[in-house]
Amino acid sequence: MNTLALGPQWLDPDFLIGTFGLIGVLVIVFAESGLLIGFFLPGDSLLFTTGLLVTTGKMDKPLWLVCALVVLAAVLGDQAGYLFGRKVGPSLFKRPDSKLFKQENVEKAHEFFEKYGPKSLVLARFVPIVRTFTPIIAGVSRMNYRSFLTFNVIGGSLWGAGVTLLGAALGNVEFVHKNIEAMLVLIVLISVVPIAIEYLRARGKAKKAEAAGAEQALAGGAPGDARRGRHAKR
């Protein structure tokens, strides 16, 4: 099976799984979920390909076990990111850029977290790069740990098991085998749907709030305008 390598061969999901097996998948999921160096790893396509290989018999492991281990790796990865963020604190925002670290990525994740709050831990799972930095930002912000753990488990389960099961469900479909590159691109496009929905919803609320503010300003200015008009006549 040939998959789409969006970059060097060592980032090709098929190459990674063939070389490192399930252990490699778990390490990558853990790293991409909360380690600064993991933001460039191919999480979505890797999980999809893993599910596909399980259902076609090319990965000799039960699907339930693979999903459980992937979810565990994802949850532990976010946990590591959260603890790292709590330890490092605001100094993370002062760290200079390097080949593996860009301040821009931290700022984007921070804006994302500030905008969506705790549920960003779920939404960010489906957005490459952002999913790596969001748990770290949650730690920097000292988010309530119980709340963090709840959303971490929900997000890790929906993403880790969900994408893997999707690959397994489509593994026996001939069309998928013939168009695996297109399917992987589709996975990336689908991953941004929750964010698009939230963005449109937030934009709608902002417009309503702006309109309400304008109406209040007009209503508050009307009496004063009337008084100024009467003084002008005098």
Side-chain angles (χ1 to χ4, degrees):
M1 180 186 69
N2 295 318
T3 57
L4 180 64
L6 299 176
Q9 182 187 18
W10 55 272
L11 288 180
D12 178 11
D14 197 30
F15 172 79
L16 289 170
I17 297 172
T19 304
F20 303 105
L22 180 58
I23 297 298
V25 173
L26 299 178
V27 170
I28 290 174
V29 168
F30 177 87
E32 192 183 6
S33 294
L35 301 185
L36 288 175
I37 61 172
F39 69 92
F40 61 89
L41 297 171
D44 298 311
S45 56
L46 182 70
L47 294 183
F48 182 84
T49 304
T50 297
L52 192 152
L53 292 177
V54 170
T55 198
T56 55
K58 294 183 179 180
M59 180 177 283
D60 188 22
K61 296 290 186 300
L63 181 60
W64 68 266
L65 178 60
V66 172
C67 288
L69 292 176
V70 166
V71 169
L72 180 61
V75 170
L76 291 178
D78 260 30
Q79 175 74 19
Y82 177 82
L83 294 176
F84 175 78
R86 284 186 68 94
K87 183 176 181 179
V88 173
S91 62
L92 180 64
F93 293 90
K94 301 177 182 178
R95 182 173 177 175
D97 287 351
S98 64
K99 291 183 178 180
L100 293 178
F101 178 84
K102 299 295 181 183
Q103 190 62 235
E104 179 184 1
N105 294 332
V106 176
E107 293 172 357
K108 286 181 179 179
H110 183 259
E111 291 175 2
F112 191 87
F113 181 79
E114 289 294 318
K115 185 173 184 178
Y116 298 111
K119 63 183 176 181
S120 64
L121 292 167
V122 177
L123 297 175
R125 284 289 188 179
F126 298 89
V127 185
I129 298 179
V130 175
R131 67 167 152 256
T132 302
F133 290 92
T134 298
I136 298 174
I137 298 301
V140 172
S141 303
R142 295 191 173 276
M143 176 182 177
N144 178 271
Y145 180 71
R146 182 174 296 181
S147 179
F148 167 80
L149 183 60
T150 299
F151 285 96
N152 178 18
V153 172
I154 293 174
S157 300
L158 291 176
W159 177 67
V163 179
T164 304
L165 289 172
L166 179 62
L170 299 177
N172 291 318
V173 179
E174 184 178 355
F175 174 82
V176 175
H177 285 283
K178 291 182 178 180
N179 300 276
I180 186 65
E181 292 88 354
M183 292 302 301
L184 295 178
V185 172
L186 182 61
I187 290 291
V188 175
L189 294 177
I190 292 176
S191 70
V192 301
V193 169
I195 305 306
I197 293 175
E198 286 295 323
Y199 172 77
L200 294 175
R201 186 177 299 171
R203 187 177 180 182
K205 289 181 179 179
K207 285 185 176 181
K208 289 181 180 179
E210 184 179 347
E215 290 179 0
Q216 290 179 357
L218 290 174
D225 292 341
R227 285 194 296 271
R228 283 193 295 272
R230 287 195 297 269
H231 287 306
K233 289 179 180 179
R234 292 176 185 173

